[in-house]
Amino acid sequence: MNNQTAKDIKNPDLVAAMQAMQKHNDSGTLSRMAAALVNSRLLSPILKETVLTEKSGPSTRIKFEDIQNTEGDKYYLAFTDLDEYEKWNQEGTHNEALIMTLEDYGNILIRNINDLKGFVINPYGENVSISKSLLLSLLKQHEAMQSTHKGN
């Protein structure tokens, strides 16, 4: 499971749930999408920079790619599969992506001091934005459900 490659990443449940939510945005479709999102692994494009420091020598810094909407708000990128990634990467200039979970996005969005509003899933497909506040709420709900199940 941990040795997944980008080709292995497919999220048909999440894609179907996002499409259902876009057709009928109600609490049922939203919770179905949230449940699918919690269990998904997504592709997040990155840039690697080698940074030279005098003391420790070269080290690699990872920068997560982002995208800006028409209002000027920036979001990290998330793709459900390689096909969606390729829609964004049509020029083929990006060839590295990390496989990320909802928790991973939470960690980078909370820790990084930046002006990013959240992350967007499949910006050239379903184009679903997950704000920081929604992300935190989903993570708290997921944590609460996990601790409830452990107690039984």
PDB file of all heavy atoms in Angstrom, residues 32-67:
ATOM      1  N   ARG A  32     -21.283  12.402   1.598  1.00  0.00           N
ATOM      2  CA  ARG A  32     -20.730  11.296   0.797  1.00  0.00           C
ATOM      3  C   ARG A  32     -19.371  11.707   0.225  1.00  0.00           C
ATOM      4  O   ARG A  32     -18.411  10.934   0.223  1.00  0.00           O
ATOM      5  CB  ARG A  32     -21.704  10.928  -0.323  1.00  0.00           C
ATOM      6  CG  ARG A  32     -21.233   9.755  -1.146  1.00  0.00           C
ATOM      7  CD  ARG A  32     -22.280   9.307  -2.157  1.00  0.00           C
ATOM      8  NE  ARG A  32     -21.590   8.713  -3.288  1.00  0.00           N
ATOM      9  CZ  ARG A  32     -21.922   8.858  -4.546  1.00  0.00           C
ATOM     10  NH1 ARG A  32     -22.983   9.562  -4.875  1.00  0.00           N
ATOM     11  NH2 ARG A  32     -21.227   8.301  -5.503  1.00  0.00           N
ATOM     12  N   MET A  33     -19.288  12.967  -0.255  1.00  0.00           N
ATOM     13  CA  MET A  33     -18.021  13.456  -0.791  1.00  0.00           C
ATOM     14  C   MET A  33     -16.967  13.532   0.323  1.00  0.00           C
ATOM     15  O   MET A  33     -15.828  13.141   0.142  1.00  0.00           O
ATOM     16  CB  MET A  33     -18.185  14.831  -1.437  1.00  0.00           C
ATOM     17  CG  MET A  33     -16.911  15.275  -2.135  1.00  0.00           C
ATOM     18  SD  MET A  33     -16.850  17.016  -2.518  1.00  0.00           S
ATOM     19  CE  MET A  33     -16.387  17.703  -0.957  1.00  0.00           C
ATOM     20  N   ALA A  34     -17.370  14.020   1.492  1.00  0.00           N
ATOM     21  CA  ALA A  34     -16.439  14.130   2.622  1.00  0.00           C
ATOM     22  C   ALA A  34     -15.909  12.754   3.020  1.00  0.00           C
ATOM     23  O   ALA A  34     -14.710  12.588   3.256  1.00  0.00           O
ATOM     24  CB  ALA A  34     -17.128  14.803   3.805  1.00  0.00           C
ATOM     25  N   ALA A  35     -16.789  11.766   3.062  1.00  0.00           N
ATOM     26  CA  ALA A  35     -16.381  10.400   3.427  1.00  0.00           C
ATOM     27  C   ALA A  35     -15.398   9.838   2.397  1.00  0.00           C
ATOM     28  O   ALA A  35     -14.396   9.209   2.756  1.00  0.00           O
ATOM     29  CB  ALA A  35     -17.603   9.501   3.543  1.00  0.00           C
ATOM     30  N   ALA A  36     -15.673  10.082   1.119  1.00  0.00           N
ATOM     31  CA  ALA A  36     -14.771   9.599   0.065  1.00  0.00           C
ATOM     32  C   ALA A  36     -13.432  10.319   0.142  1.00  0.00           C
ATOM     33  O   ALA A  36     -12.372   9.714  -0.028  1.00  0.00           O
ATOM     34  CB  ALA A  36     -15.413   9.806  -1.308  1.00  0.00           C
ATOM     35  N   LEU A  37     -13.465  11.616   0.454  1.00  0.00           N
ATOM     36  CA  LEU A  37     -12.245  12.420   0.527  1.00  0.00           C
ATOM     37  C   LEU A  37     -11.335  11.957   1.661  1.00  0.00           C
ATOM     38  O   LEU A  37     -10.121  11.865   1.502  1.00  0.00           O
ATOM     39  CB  LEU A  37     -12.613  13.894   0.701  1.00  0.00           C
ATOM     40  CG  LEU A  37     -11.471  14.900   0.697  1.00  0.00           C
ATOM     41  CD1 LEU A  37     -10.635  14.777  -0.563  1.00  0.00           C
ATOM     42  CD2 LEU A  37     -12.020  16.306   0.841  1.00  0.00           C
ATOM     43  N   VAL A  38     -11.921  11.623   2.797  1.00  0.00           N
ATOM     44  CA  VAL A  38     -11.153  11.179   3.958  1.00  0.00           C
ATOM     45  C   VAL A  38     -10.350   9.909   3.627  1.00  0.00           C
ATOM     46  O   VAL A  38      -9.244   9.720   4.116  1.00  0.00           O
ATOM     47  CB  VAL A  38     -12.093  10.948   5.169  1.00  0.00           C
ATOM     48  CG1 VAL A  38     -11.415  10.167   6.264  1.00  0.00           C
ATOM     49  CG2 VAL A  38     -12.584  12.287   5.696  1.00  0.00           C
ATOM     50  N   ASN A  39     -10.894   9.068   2.758  1.00  0.00           N
ATOM     51  CA  ASN A  39     -10.236   7.803   2.421  1.00  0.00           C
ATOM     52  C   ASN A  39      -9.405   7.866   1.144  1.00  0.00           C
ATOM     53  O   ASN A  39      -8.882   6.859   0.698  1.00  0.00           O
ATOM     54  CB  ASN A  39     -11.287   6.697   2.292  1.00  0.00           C
ATOM     55  CG  ASN A  39     -11.988   6.458   3.603  1.00  0.00           C
ATOM     56  OD1 ASN A  39     -11.346   6.360   4.638  1.00  0.00           O
ATOM     57  ND2 ASN A  39     -13.302   6.407   3.571  1.00  0.00           N
ATOM     58  N   SER A  40      -9.306   9.043   0.542  1.00  0.00           N
ATOM     59  CA  SER A  40      -8.610   9.171  -0.749  1.00  0.00           C
ATOM     60  C   SER A  40      -7.124   9.439  -0.586  1.00  0.00           C
ATOM     61  O   SER A  40      -6.679   9.963   0.428  1.00  0.00           O
ATOM     62  CB  SER A  40      -9.215  10.334  -1.540  1.00  0.00           C
ATOM     63  OG  SER A  40     -10.543  10.064  -1.852  1.00  0.00           O
ATOM     64  N   ARG A  41      -6.407   9.081  -1.624  1.00  0.00           N
ATOM     65  CA  ARG A  41      -5.019   9.475  -1.778  1.00  0.00           C
ATOM     66  C   ARG A  41      -4.982  10.285  -3.062  1.00  0.00           C
ATOM     67  O   ARG A  41      -5.477   9.846  -4.088  1.00  0.00           O
ATOM     68  CB  ARG A  41      -4.102   8.261  -1.884  1.00  0.00           C
ATOM     69  CG  ARG A  41      -4.053   7.454  -0.605  1.00  0.00           C
ATOM     70  CD  ARG A  41      -2.922   6.444  -0.657  1.00  0.00           C
ATOM     71  NE  ARG A  41      -2.787   5.693   0.565  1.00  0.00           N
ATOM     72  CZ  ARG A  41      -2.360   6.164   1.723  1.00  0.00           C
ATOM     73  NH1 ARG A  41      -2.052   7.420   1.835  1.00  0.00           N
ATOM     74  NH2 ARG A  41      -2.247   5.396   2.776  1.00  0.00           N
ATOM     75  N   LEU A  42      -4.394  11.482  -2.983  1.00  0.00           N
ATOM     76  CA  LEU A  42      -4.408  12.421  -4.101  1.00  0.00           C
ATOM     77  C   LEU A  42      -2.993  12.758  -4.551  1.00  0.00           C
ATOM     78  O   LEU A  42      -2.053  12.646  -3.768  1.00  0.00           O
ATOM     79  CB  LEU A  42      -5.137  13.704  -3.673  1.00  0.00           C
ATOM     80  CG  LEU A  42      -6.582  13.508  -3.220  1.00  0.00           C
ATOM     81  CD1 LEU A  42      -7.080  14.729  -2.464  1.00  0.00           C
ATOM     82  CD2 LEU A  42      -7.479  13.208  -4.407  1.00  0.00           C
ATOM     83  N   LEU A  43      -2.868  13.173  -5.787  1.00  0.00           N
ATOM     84  CA  LEU A  43      -1.565  13.581  -6.320  1.00  0.00           C
ATOM     85  C   LEU A  43      -1.405  15.084  -6.149  1.00  0.00           C
ATOM     86  O   LEU A  43      -2.288  15.852  -6.522  1.00  0.00           O
ATOM     87  CB  LEU A  43      -1.478  13.232  -7.811  1.00  0.00           C
ATOM     88  CG  LEU A  43      -1.534  11.747  -8.152  1.00  0.00           C
ATOM     89  CD1 LEU A  43      -1.625  11.553  -9.657  1.00  0.00           C
ATOM     90  CD2 LEU A  43      -0.307  11.030  -7.605  1.00  0.00           C
ATOM     91  N   SER A  44      -0.289  15.490  -5.580  1.00  0.00           N
ATOM     92  CA  SER A  44       0.003  16.906  -5.387  1.00  0.00           C
ATOM     93  C   SER A  44       1.335  17.229  -6.054  1.00  0.00           C
ATOM     94  O   SER A  44       2.386  16.750  -5.623  1.00  0.00           O
ATOM     95  CB  SER A  44       0.073  17.228  -3.898  1.00  0.00           C
ATOM     96  OG  SER A  44       0.292  18.598  -3.711  1.00  0.00           O
ATOM     97  N   PRO A  45       1.314  18.025  -7.127  1.00  0.00           N
ATOM     98  CA  PRO A  45       2.560  18.348  -7.822  1.00  0.00           C
ATOM     99  C   PRO A  45       3.489  19.202  -6.958  1.00  0.00           C
ATOM    100  O   PRO A  45       3.028  20.064  -6.206  1.00  0.00           O
ATOM    101  CB  PRO A  45       2.106  19.125  -9.054  1.00  0.00           C
ATOM    102  CG  PRO A  45       0.702  19.504  -8.815  1.00  0.00           C
ATOM    103  CD  PRO A  45       0.152  18.642  -7.734  1.00  0.00           C
ATOM    104  N   ILE A  46       4.762  18.914  -7.077  1.00  0.00           N
ATOM    105  CA  ILE A  46       5.775  19.636  -6.293  1.00  0.00           C
ATOM    106  C   ILE A  46       6.924  20.088  -7.181  1.00  0.00           C
ATOM    107  O   ILE A  46       7.129  19.560  -8.264  1.00  0.00           O
ATOM    108  CB  ILE A  46       6.349  18.757  -5.151  1.00  0.00           C
ATOM    109  CG1 ILE A  46       6.967  17.476  -5.722  1.00  0.00           C
ATOM    110  CG2 ILE A  46       5.298  18.474  -4.096  1.00  0.00           C
ATOM    111  CD1 ILE A  46       7.827  16.708  -4.752  1.00  0.00           C
ATOM    112  N   LEU A  47       7.648  21.070  -6.694  1.00  0.00           N
ATOM    113  CA  LEU A  47       8.916  21.487  -7.282  1.00  0.00           C
ATOM    114  C   LEU A  47       9.986  21.196  -6.254  1.00  0.00           C
ATOM    115  O   LEU A  47       9.806  21.486  -5.077  1.00  0.00           O
ATOM    116  CB  LEU A  47       8.912  22.991  -7.556  1.00  0.00           C
ATOM    117  CG  LEU A  47       8.113  23.493  -8.746  1.00  0.00           C
ATOM    118  CD1 LEU A  47       8.098  25.014  -8.744  1.00  0.00           C
ATOM    119  CD2 LEU A  47       8.694  22.976 -10.045  1.00  0.00           C
ATOM    120  N   LYS A  48      11.095  20.624  -6.705  1.00  0.00           N
ATOM    121  CA  LYS A  48      12.214  20.382  -5.789  1.00  0.00           C
ATOM    122  C   LYS A  48      13.313  21.379  -6.092  1.00  0.00           C
ATOM    123  O   LYS A  48      13.654  21.593  -7.248  1.00  0.00           O
ATOM    124  CB  LYS A  48      12.749  18.963  -5.954  1.00  0.00           C
ATOM    125  CG  LYS A  48      11.896  17.905  -5.323  1.00  0.00           C
ATOM    126  CD  LYS A  48      12.582  16.563  -5.418  1.00  0.00           C
ATOM    127  CE  LYS A  48      11.775  15.483  -4.746  1.00  0.00           C
ATOM    128  NZ  LYS A  48      12.412  14.163  -4.901  1.00  0.00           N
ATOM    129  N   GLU A  49      13.813  22.006  -5.037  1.00  0.00           N
ATOM    130  CA  GLU A  49      14.930  22.942  -5.167  1.00  0.00           C
ATOM    131  C   GLU A  49      16.079  22.431  -4.321  1.00  0.00           C
ATOM    132  O   GLU A  49      15.878  22.036  -3.185  1.00  0.00           O
ATOM    133  CB  GLU A  49      14.543  24.302  -4.579  1.00  0.00           C
ATOM    134  CG  GLU A  49      13.655  25.147  -5.403  1.00  0.00           C
ATOM    135  CD  GLU A  49      13.312  26.453  -4.675  1.00  0.00           C
ATOM    136  OE1 GLU A  49      13.732  26.663  -3.514  1.00  0.00           O
ATOM    137  OE2 GLU A  49      12.606  27.253  -5.274  1.00  0.00           O
ATOM    138  N   THR A  50      17.275  22.467  -4.880  1.00  0.00           N
ATOM    139  CA  THR A  50      18.440  22.136  -4.079  1.00  0.00           C
ATOM    140  C   THR A  50      18.962  23.432  -3.483  1.00  0.00           C
ATOM    141  O   THR A  50      19.174  24.414  -4.199  1.00  0.00           O
ATOM    142  CB  THR A  50      19.521  21.443  -4.923  1.00  0.00           C
ATOM    143  OG1 THR A  50      18.951  20.257  -5.475  1.00  0.00           O
ATOM    144  CG2 THR A  50      20.731  21.082  -4.082  1.00  0.00           C
ATOM    145  N   VAL A  51      19.121  23.432  -2.179  1.00  0.00           N
ATOM    146  CA  VAL A  51      19.587  24.622  -1.476  1.00  0.00           C
ATOM    147  C   VAL A  51      20.947  24.298  -0.871  1.00  0.00           C
ATOM    148  O   VAL A  51      21.113  23.264  -0.224  1.00  0.00           O
ATOM    149  CB  VAL A  51      18.588  24.991  -0.343  1.00  0.00           C
ATOM    150  CG1 VAL A  51      19.041  26.243   0.375  1.00  0.00           C
ATOM    151  CG2 VAL A  51      17.197  25.182  -0.917  1.00  0.00           C
ATOM    152  N   LEU A  52      21.900  25.169  -1.110  1.00  0.00           N
ATOM    153  CA  LEU A  52      23.240  24.957  -0.551  1.00  0.00           C
ATOM    154  C   LEU A  52      23.382  25.756   0.743  1.00  0.00           C
ATOM    155  O   LEU A  52      23.090  26.939   0.779  1.00  0.00           O
ATOM    156  CB  LEU A  52      24.315  25.403  -1.542  1.00  0.00           C
ATOM    157  CG  LEU A  52      24.432  24.569  -2.806  1.00  0.00           C
ATOM    158  CD1 LEU A  52      25.418  25.205  -3.779  1.00  0.00           C
ATOM    159  CD2 LEU A  52      24.891  23.158  -2.459  1.00  0.00           C
ATOM    160  N   THR A  53      23.804  25.059   1.780  1.00  0.00           N
ATOM    161  CA  THR A  53      24.087  25.742   3.040  1.00  0.00           C
ATOM    162  C   THR A  53      25.520  25.416   3.422  1.00  0.00           C
ATOM    163  O   THR A  53      26.011  24.324   3.145  1.00  0.00           O
ATOM    164  CB  THR A  53      23.122  25.284   4.162  1.00  0.00           C
ATOM    165  OG1 THR A  53      23.217  23.870   4.286  1.00  0.00           O
ATOM    166  CG2 THR A  53      21.690  25.676   3.859  1.00  0.00           C
ATOM    167  N   GLU A  54      26.179  26.348   4.061  1.00  0.00           N
ATOM    168  CA  GLU A  54      27.586  26.149   4.397  1.00  0.00           C
ATOM    169  C   GLU A  54      27.792  25.012   5.381  1.00  0.00           C
ATOM    170  O   GLU A  54      28.716  24.233   5.255  1.00  0.00           O
ATOM    171  CB  GLU A  54      28.177  27.439   4.964  1.00  0.00           C
ATOM    172  CG  GLU A  54      28.458  28.457   3.883  1.00  0.00           C
ATOM    173  CD  GLU A  54      29.190  29.666   4.429  1.00  0.00           C
ATOM    174  OE1 GLU A  54      30.013  29.496   5.339  1.00  0.00           O
ATOM    175  OE2 GLU A  54      28.924  30.764   3.932  1.00  0.00           O
ATOM    176  N   LYS A  55      26.931  24.924   6.377  1.00  0.00           N
ATOM    177  CA  LYS A  55      27.137  23.926   7.432  1.00  0.00           C
ATOM    178  C   LYS A  55      26.784  22.506   6.989  1.00  0.00           C
ATOM    179  O   LYS A  55      27.546  21.582   7.176  1.00  0.00           O
ATOM    180  CB  LYS A  55      26.322  24.296   8.672  1.00  0.00           C
ATOM    181  CG  LYS A  55      26.879  25.501   9.374  1.00  0.00           C
ATOM    182  CD  LYS A  55      26.129  25.803  10.632  1.00  0.00           C
ATOM    183  CE  LYS A  55      26.752  27.021  11.292  1.00  0.00           C
ATOM    184  NZ  LYS A  55      25.831  27.798  12.039  1.00  0.00           N
ATOM    185  N   SER A  56      25.601  22.334   6.429  1.00  0.00           N
ATOM    186  CA  SER A  56      25.159  20.970   6.138  1.00  0.00           C
ATOM    187  C   SER A  56      25.251  20.589   4.669  1.00  0.00           C
ATOM    188  O   SER A  56      24.897  19.483   4.293  1.00  0.00           O
ATOM    189  CB  SER A  56      23.723  20.779   6.633  1.00  0.00           C
ATOM    190  OG  SER A  56      22.877  21.740   6.037  1.00  0.00           O
ATOM    191  N   GLY A  57      25.730  21.483   3.831  1.00  0.00           N
ATOM    192  CA  GLY A  57      25.855  21.150   2.417  1.00  0.00           C
ATOM    193  C   GLY A  57      24.509  21.236   1.717  1.00  0.00           C
ATOM    194  O   GLY A  57      23.593  21.902   2.185  1.00  0.00           O
ATOM    195  N   PRO A  58      24.375  20.538   0.574  1.00  0.00           N
ATOM    196  CA  PRO A  58      23.130  20.647  -0.183  1.00  0.00           C
ATOM    197  C   PRO A  58      21.956  19.947   0.519  1.00  0.00           C
ATOM    198  O   PRO A  58      22.119  18.898   1.117  1.00  0.00           O
ATOM    199  CB  PRO A  58      23.454  19.968  -1.511  1.00  0.00           C
ATOM    200  CG  PRO A  58      24.647  19.132  -1.265  1.00  0.00           C
ATOM    201  CD  PRO A  58      25.360  19.697  -0.081  1.00  0.00           C
ATOM    202  N   SER A  59      20.809  20.577   0.444  1.00  0.00           N
ATOM    203  CA  SER A  59      19.592  19.936   0.920  1.00  0.00           C
ATOM    204  C   SER A  59      18.483  20.259  -0.071  1.00  0.00           C
ATOM    205  O   SER A  59      18.588  21.203  -0.848  1.00  0.00           O
ATOM    206  CB  SER A  59      19.223  20.416   2.328  1.00  0.00           C
ATOM    207  OG  SER A  59      18.913  21.790   2.298  1.00  0.00           O
ATOM    208  N   THR A  60      17.452  19.450  -0.055  1.00  0.00           N
ATOM    209  CA  THR A  60      16.364  19.624  -1.007  1.00  0.00           C
ATOM    210  C   THR A  60      15.179  20.256  -0.309  1.00  0.00           C
ATOM    211  O   THR A  60      14.774  19.806   0.761  1.00  0.00           O
ATOM    212  CB  THR A  60      15.962  18.267  -1.617  1.00  0.00           C
ATOM    213  OG1 THR A  60      17.117  17.704  -2.241  1.00  0.00           O
ATOM    214  CG2 THR A  60      14.870  18.432  -2.651  1.00  0.00           C
ATOM    215  N   ARG A  61      14.657  21.284  -0.919  1.00  0.00           N
ATOM    216  CA  ARG A  61      13.467  21.946  -0.402  1.00  0.00           C
ATOM    217  C   ARG A  61      12.314  21.624  -1.353  1.00  0.00           C
ATOM    218  O   ARG A  61      12.480  21.694  -2.569  1.00  0.00           O
ATOM    219  CB  ARG A  61      13.698  23.452  -0.338  1.00  0.00           C
ATOM    220  CG  ARG A  61      12.586  24.187   0.370  1.00  0.00           C
ATOM    221  CD  ARG A  61      12.797  25.672   0.370  1.00  0.00           C
ATOM    222  NE  ARG A  61      14.051  26.055   0.997  1.00  0.00           N
ATOM    223  CZ  ARG A  61      14.627  27.232   0.849  1.00  0.00           C
ATOM    224  NH1 ARG A  61      14.088  28.137   0.079  1.00  0.00           N
ATOM    225  NH2 ARG A  61      15.755  27.524   1.458  1.00  0.00           N
ATOM    226  N   ILE A  62      11.177  21.272  -0.797  1.00  0.00           N
ATOM    227  CA  ILE A  62      10.011  20.945  -1.608  1.00  0.00           C
ATOM    228  C   ILE A  62       9.032  22.105  -1.552  1.00  0.00           C
ATOM    229  O   ILE A  62       8.717  22.620  -0.491  1.00  0.00           O
ATOM    230  CB  ILE A  62       9.325  19.653  -1.098  1.00  0.00           C
ATOM    231  CG1 ILE A  62      10.233  18.458  -1.360  1.00  0.00           C
ATOM    232  CG2 ILE A  62       7.976  19.456  -1.758  1.00  0.00           C
ATOM    233  CD1 ILE A  62       9.711  17.153  -0.820  1.00  0.00           C
ATOM    234  N   LYS A  63       8.562  22.515  -2.724  1.00  0.00           N
ATOM    235  CA  LYS A  63       7.547  23.565  -2.806  1.00  0.00           C
ATOM    236  C   LYS A  63       6.319  22.957  -3.471  1.00  0.00           C
ATOM    237  O   LYS A  63       6.412  22.372  -4.547  1.00  0.00           O
ATOM    238  CB  LYS A  63       8.063  24.733  -3.641  1.00  0.00           C
ATOM    239  CG  LYS A  63       7.049  25.850  -3.796  1.00  0.00           C
ATOM    240  CD  LYS A  63       7.573  26.912  -4.754  1.00  0.00           C
ATOM    241  CE  LYS A  63       6.594  28.044  -4.932  1.00  0.00           C
ATOM    242  NZ  LYS A  63       5.388  27.699  -5.661  1.00  0.00           N
ATOM    243  N   PHE A  64       5.188  23.074  -2.802  1.00  0.00           N
ATOM    244  CA  PHE A  64       3.949  22.565  -3.373  1.00  0.00           C
ATOM    245  C   PHE A  64       3.417  23.564  -4.387  1.00  0.00           C
ATOM    246  O   PHE A  64       3.411  24.766  -4.138  1.00  0.00           O
ATOM    247  CB  PHE A  64       2.904  22.328  -2.275  1.00  0.00           C
ATOM    248  CG  PHE A  64       3.248  21.170  -1.398  1.00  0.00           C
ATOM    249  CD1 PHE A  64       4.038  21.345  -0.279  1.00  0.00           C
ATOM    250  CD2 PHE A  64       2.807  19.894  -1.712  1.00  0.00           C
ATOM    251  CE1 PHE A  64       4.382  20.274   0.528  1.00  0.00           C
ATOM    252  CE2 PHE A  64       3.150  18.820  -0.921  1.00  0.00           C
ATOM    253  CZ  PHE A  64       3.934  19.001   0.197  1.00  0.00           C
ATOM    254  N   GLU A  65       3.000  23.062  -5.539  1.00  0.00           N
ATOM    255  CA  GLU A  65       2.446  23.919  -6.588  1.00  0.00           C
ATOM    256  C   GLU A  65       1.091  24.446  -6.142  1.00  0.00           C
ATOM    257  O   GLU A  65       0.352  23.769  -5.419  1.00  0.00           O
ATOM    258  CB  GLU A  65       2.262  23.120  -7.880  1.00  0.00           C
ATOM    259  CG  GLU A  65       3.556  22.634  -8.475  1.00  0.00           C
ATOM    260  CD  GLU A  65       4.248  23.679  -9.336  1.00  0.00           C
ATOM    261  OE1 GLU A  65       3.790  24.824  -9.412  1.00  0.00           O
ATOM    262  OE2 GLU A  65       5.256  23.326  -9.951  1.00  0.00           O
ATOM    263  N   ASP A  66       0.760  25.657  -6.594  1.00  0.00           N
ATOM    264  CA  ASP A  66      -0.564  26.183  -6.295  1.00  0.00           C
ATOM    265  C   ASP A  66      -1.169  26.797  -7.545  1.00  0.00           C
ATOM    266  O   ASP A  66      -0.519  26.910  -8.571  1.00  0.00           O
ATOM    267  CB  ASP A  66      -0.516  27.191  -5.135  1.00  0.00           C
ATOM    268  CG  ASP A  66       0.393  28.368  -5.409  1.00  0.00           C
ATOM    269  OD1 ASP A  66       0.171  29.068  -6.423  1.00  0.00           O
ATOM    270  OD2 ASP A  66       1.332  28.594  -4.627  1.00  0.00           O
ATOM    271  N   ILE A  67      -2.431  27.153  -7.439  1.00  0.00           N
ATOM    272  CA  ILE A  67      -3.176  27.731  -8.551  1.00  0.00           C
ATOM    273  C   ILE A  67      -3.999  28.887  -7.994  1.00  0.00           C
ATOM    274  O   ILE A  67      -4.382  28.862  -6.818  1.00  0.00           O
ATOM    275  CB  ILE A  67      -4.059  26.651  -9.229  1.00  0.00           C
ATOM    276  CG1 ILE A  67      -4.582  27.125 -10.581  1.00  0.00           C
ATOM    277  CG2 ILE A  67      -5.189  26.197  -8.315  1.00  0.00           C
ATOM    278  CD1 ILE A  67      -5.197  25.992 -11.416  1.00  0.00           C
TER     279      ILE A  67
END
